[in-house]
Amino acid sequence: MSQLTQSVLYYGKDEPLPEQIPLRAGPLQLLYENGDLRYIKLGDQELVRRLYVAIRDRNWGTVLPRYSNITVEIQPDSFEIQYDVVNQQGEIDFRWHGVLRGEANGRVTCTLDGAAHSTFLRNRIGFCLLHPMGIAGAPARIEHVDGSQETYVFPQYIAPQLFIDGLIKPVAPFEELRAVAHEVTPGIWAKVRFTGETFEMEDQRNWTDASYKTYGTPLRLPFPVQVEAGEHIAQAVTLSLQADDPAQLAALAKAPTIATPVTLTLDRTAPPRPLPALGLQINSHGTALNAQEIARLQALHLHHLRIDLHLAQADYDADLRRAITEANALGVGLEVALCVTDNATVELTKLTSLLAELQPPVQSWLLYHVKEKTTSERWITLARTILASYLSQARLGGGANAYFTELNCVRPPAELLDVVVYSVNPQVHAFDNSSLMETLAAQTVTVTSARQFCGDRPIAVTPVTLQPRFNPNATGPEPEPAPGELPSQVDVRQMSLFGAGWTLGSISALAQGGAQSVTYYETNGWRGVMERATGSPLPQRFQSIPGGVFPLYHVLADVGDFADGAVITTHSSADLCVAGLALHKDGQLRVLTANLTAQAQSLEVRGLPATVNVHILDVTNVEAAMGAPENWRVKAATMQQTHAGTLALELSPYAVLRIDGDLKS
């Protein structure tokens, strides 16, 4: 009998996803979802990824909206949607009326009219517009608030933000904006105009959002800002099309948006890349692994375990001892992250005494300073001196303990490091399922962009988590979770098929970008790859099978079977719908694909051998795979014949597919 509902197995929550309503504004196609406009397209050209309103508190936390009085009027080539919204959390009480209007001439207008019902501190109130990262390299026309105009291009590699007085600000000319237009195709431009606030644009790929975001208020201004009760705020955003030839516009509007079926093509002509070395973090709840958990982790063929040591704390030796015990039991090395203070000489010297006693199997040291965005030369030189006798068999790494943007803004002295590091999570700015899946493509660009200033230094992405581990930009302490609420570091999708698909997409993106090493999640617990034997501490909020694995465990096991193998380049015709990873080792091929959506997908996998074995993990069998992973992993696959190397399949929502074949056949 099923223990978990279908929705929980899909994405961790026993509740439906927001409805997506297709709309048209003349030649434009788009979706309405939960107050936002998404995926505004002209034919197969995506113009705007998302347009929404954000209310951000003094710590950059998002105050979620509550909608009421929603009215929707839809015509074949136009629409009007109105609603009332309350954003209320803690001291914040902001209420507003929204209108979204699409016209037959292709004009889309969105307005916000609201007022504060309390006095509070905010970092942002207003519209955010996301241009898709697919327009990288496209010409842009910038209109500033003073009426001046510039021409530019959207950057190919991730543009570094600037730190000024401890704040991040965008690189000119994407600041003091009144309007921005980009060339969709020669002769056709999409123009967005903003009123009611001064806007600026940042390259959100710095945080693995697959977009360029335009927002107000400019970050050059001090924040947080006090909003007085009764204060009125009104803004508007308008998208319009400009075409030299109306016939060309009409032709583009008729182009198909997504090919059916989705195709995943193996590119045998591109040079294969080494599969990154994969590892996990030791768990944060502090409970030692039991024998069954050790055996299950051994089946992942991990390369390393990560342990974080804050050397100013007196009791870090207990964590190190536990990490050594678990690494030795798994037969892997340690990735040891050292966080030092200005008293680093004393801290590192004390550490060496402990190292002499414990002799940990360290493969990599990662060095961070508590007050620095990235590791500076001073601490690297100091660590090389004090840890000299422990560096002959281990690498010294440094960079950012938080986001890629810190690495990109304050670039470390890569020539002094053996490996350059940064971490990844998909939930800095948005939290819905679609937005998380969008981040996968941007992970590739973080690696290729880092390569521009790191040269040939190896790049380690560590760790990769679904939620931020901490808030590096908070202006106040993080509040403790309310009774019955999950900690901010926990995401219910960790235990779901969604988590498995996202993990597969992440491994593929970072591998194809050229990362040498990637560290994921924790060993067990609700931030890990399997549940503890005692089960979830909050089983009503985080639903899982006590002692069972999470679906993403099977993705890591499938990839782990090919450890030290190579990655074949793949191309998905719809990378927001289907992700793929192709591996080969010793003449064997393994292709993993995942449906990233809540809708069934027709899929063709191209470039396969004549005969393959197919294994599917989906909602019909995932509970068996979670509860008894050893039995499920040896379950016989289905042998299928391809048609000239092409295999056609139907993938149910969030399903994960494994295809095995012999490259020599």
Side-chain angles (χ1 to χ4, degrees):
M1 180 179 294
S2 175
Q3 300 181 38
L4 304 172
T5 67
Q6 179 173 279
S7 295
V8 170
L9 294 172
Y10 280 153
Y11 45 80
K13 288 185 177 181
D14 193 13
E15 57 187 49
L17 294 175
E19 181 185 10
Q20 292 187 332
I21 301 175
L23 303 170
R24 290 199 72 105
L28 299 180
Q29 301 178 59
L30 60 157
L31 292 176
Y32 169 79
E33 179 186 332
N34 202 30
D36 303 345
L37 297 181
R38 306 188 77 139
Y39 309 119
I40 303 178
K41 292 184 176 183
L42 176 62
D44 61 355
Q45 300 292 315
E46 186 179 1
L47 310 182
V48 172
R49 174 143 291 183
R50 187 181 178 200
L51 178 58
Y52 63 101
V53 172
I55 314 296
R56 307 292 292 274
D57 67 21
R58 61 177 300 165
N59 287 333
W60 292 105
T62 297
V63 182
L64 297 177
R66 298 198 306 271
Y67 296 92
S68 62
N69 302 323
I70 302 172
T71 62
V72 179
E73 297 180 9
I74 301 176
Q75 302 298 326
D77 59 356
S78 64
F79 64 88
E80 181 173 286
I81 300 172
Q82 298 195 41
Y83 47 71
D84 294 318
V85 188
V86 175
N87 295 87
Q88 192 174 49
Q89 181 176 299
E91 65 176 2
I92 295 177
D93 187 349
F94 182 72
R95 307 182 187 195
W96 54 282
H97 182 73
V99 180
L100 313 176
R101 182 177 293 112
E103 302 173 49
N105 61 3
R107 183 185 301 272
V108 177
T109 303
C110 304
T111 61
L112 170 161
D113 193 324
H117 284 243
S118 65
T119 297
F120 56 86
L121 293 173
R122 61 86 175 167
N123 286 351
R124 178 170 298 153
I125 290 181
F127 281 111
C128 295
L129 181 136
L130 308 184
H131 282 95
M133 75 176 196
I135 66 173
R141 295 170 179 166
I142 308 297
E143 180 183 332
H144 297 290
V145 293
D146 62 2
S148 63
Q149 298 186 19
E150 293 185 75
T151 58
Y152 202 62
V153 295
F154 284 87
Q156 289 280 4
Y157 296 110
I158 301 176
Q161 314 296 102
L162 299 178
F163 282 105
I164 297 178
D165 297 327
L167 306 179
I168 299 175
K169 78 181 290 290
V171 178
F174 292 110
E175 56 185 352
E176 308 297 314
L177 295 180
R178 181 60 66 228
V180 58
H182 77 274
E183 191 174 36
V184 181
T185 193
I188 298 179
W189 291 73
K191 184 175 183 177
V192 183
R193 178 167 292 276
F194 307 92
T195 61
E197 173 65 281
T198 298
F199 286 77
E200 64 188 16
M201 184 184 295
E202 67 186 12
D203 192 337
Q204 276 209 134
R205 298 176 299 171
N206 275 293
W207 296 270
T208 68
D209 299 77
S211 57
Y212 306 91
K213 180 172 74 174
T214 304
Y215 59 86
T217 311
L219 291 176
R220 63 176 171 77
L221 299 177
F223 62 86
V225 175
Q226 181 159 301
V227 179
E228 300 292 338
E231 184 174 338
H232 178 240
I233 296 175
Q235 295 178 15
V237 177
T238 301
L239 168 68
S240 59
L241 297 172
Q242 301 172 343
D244 297 337
D245 182 359
Q248 183 188 16
L249 183 62
L252 269 180
K254 295 178 181 178
T257 54
I258 295 179
T260 302
V262 177
T263 60
L264 182 74
T265 305
L266 277 61
D267 185 355
R268 303 284 189 87
T269 63
R273 292 184 176 274
L275 177 65
L278 300 183
L280 298 174
Q281 303 172 85
I282 71 165
N283 66 52
S284 55
H285 55 78
T287 303
L289 299 173
N290 62 33
Q292 183 183 64
E293 291 164 344
I294 291 289
R296 288 177 173 174
L297 292 172
Q298 287 173 335
L300 300 183
H301 304 290
L302 298 172
H303 177 263
H304 60 270
L305 288 181
R306 170 170 168 151
I307 173 67
D308 286 61
L309 303 178
H310 294 264
L311 298 188
Q313 298 177 358
D315 58 352
Y316 69 79
D317 63 309
D319 288 335
L320 180 57
R321 292 175 191 274
R322 179 164 64 94
I324 293 171
T325 298
E326 294 180 358
N328 288 337
L330 296 175
V332 302
L334 285 175
E335 181 179 80
V336 182
L338 304 174
C339 193
V340 301
T341 70
D342 289 342
N343 197 30
T345 300
V346 172
E347 293 165 357
L348 290 169
T349 301
K350 178 183 175 183
L351 173 66
T352 59
S353 298
L354 187 62
L355 298 178
E357 173 193 348
L358 300 180
Q359 296 294 310
V362 179
Q363 292 177 340
S364 297
W365 301 99
L366 311 181
L367 186 65
Y368 309 109
H369 188 280
V370 293
K371 296 180 181 178
E372 293 183 348
K373 298 291 185 181
T374 59
T375 317
S376 64
E377 178 178 351
R378 174 185 177 185
W379 311 116
I380 298 169
T381 302
L382 182 65
R384 284 208 177 274
T385 299
I386 297 177
L387 297 177
S389 61
Y390 299 97
L391 292 175
S392 59
Q393 302 297 322
R395 306 181 300 177
L396 179 62
N401 197 25
Y403 310 129
F404 174 82
T405 190
E406 279 80 15
L407 186 78
N408 202 20
C409 298
V410 185
R411 296 173 176 180
E415 69 279 2
L416 301 180
L417 296 166
D418 302 318
V419 58
V420 175
V421 303
Y422 60 94
S423 75
V424 160
N425 82 81
Q427 296 192 76
V428 179
H429 299 116
F431 319 103
D432 60 280
N433 288 2
S434 297
S435 294
L436 265 65
M437 292 305 190
E438 291 170 8
T439 66
L440 296 171
Q443 292 185 29
T444 301
V445 189
T446 63
V447 183
T448 56
S449 295
R451 185 64 62 212
Q452 305 311 301
F453 56 86
C454 293
D456 61 358
R457 287 292 185 271
I459 294 173
V461 184
T462 173
V464 178
T465 55
L466 282 184
Q467 286 277 20
R469 295 168 294 138
F470 59 93
N471 183 354
N473 301 311
T475 60
E478 180 179 347
E480 291 294 322
E485 294 295 319
L486 295 172
S488 63
Q489 298 84 2
V490 176
D491 191 310
V492 295
R493 289 168 287 199
Q494 187 90 20
M495 56 68 58
S496 69
L497 284 164
F498 177 102
W502 191 90
T503 302
L504 170 57
S506 174
I507 296 172
S508 176
L510 294 173
Q512 297 199 63
Q516 187 189 71
S517 172
V518 187
T519 305
Y520 284 93
Y521 315 128
E522 296 182 2
T523 52
N524 68 349
W526 49 19
R527 296 163 65 179
V529 302
M530 66 183 83
E531 186 55 272
R532 288 181 275 179
T534 54
S536 166
L538 292 172
Q540 299 305 313
R541 296 300 308 277
F542 189 96
Q543 302 181 53
S544 56
I545 299 174
V549 304
F550 301 152
L552 58 82
Y553 169 93
H554 290 290
V555 169
L556 291 168
D558 287 341
V559 176
D561 288 342
F562 281 67
D564 301 319
V567 177
I568 299 171
T569 299
T570 58
H571 302 287
S572 173
S573 65
D575 59 8
L576 295 181
C577 298
V578 172
L581 174 66
L583 307 169
H584 77 83
K585 180 180 179 181
D586 300 331
Q588 297 301 304
L589 172 71
R590 173 163 291 174
V591 180
L592 302 173
T593 69
N595 182 352
L596 306 180
T597 74
Q599 294 80 40
Q601 298 289 342
S602 297
L603 173 67
E604 287 186 358
V605 184
R606 300 174 178 176
L608 297 172
T611 302
V612 294
N613 291 314
V614 178
H615 209 258
I616 295 179
L617 177 66
D618 63 15
V619 72
T620 66
N621 59 20
V622 67
E623 281 193 273
M626 295 163 72
E630 294 83 4
N631 295 338
W632 191 84
R633 294 202 60 75
V634 298
K635 184 179 178 181
T638 302
M639 181 179 292
Q640 296 195 32
Q641 300 294 319
T642 66
H643 298 279
T646 296
L647 183 66
L649 299 139
E650 292 291 322
L651 287 183
S652 61
Y654 302 114
V656 177
L657 175 71
R658 186 179 80 210
I659 303 171
D660 289 322
D662 190 337
L663 284 173
K664 296 173 290 187
S665 63

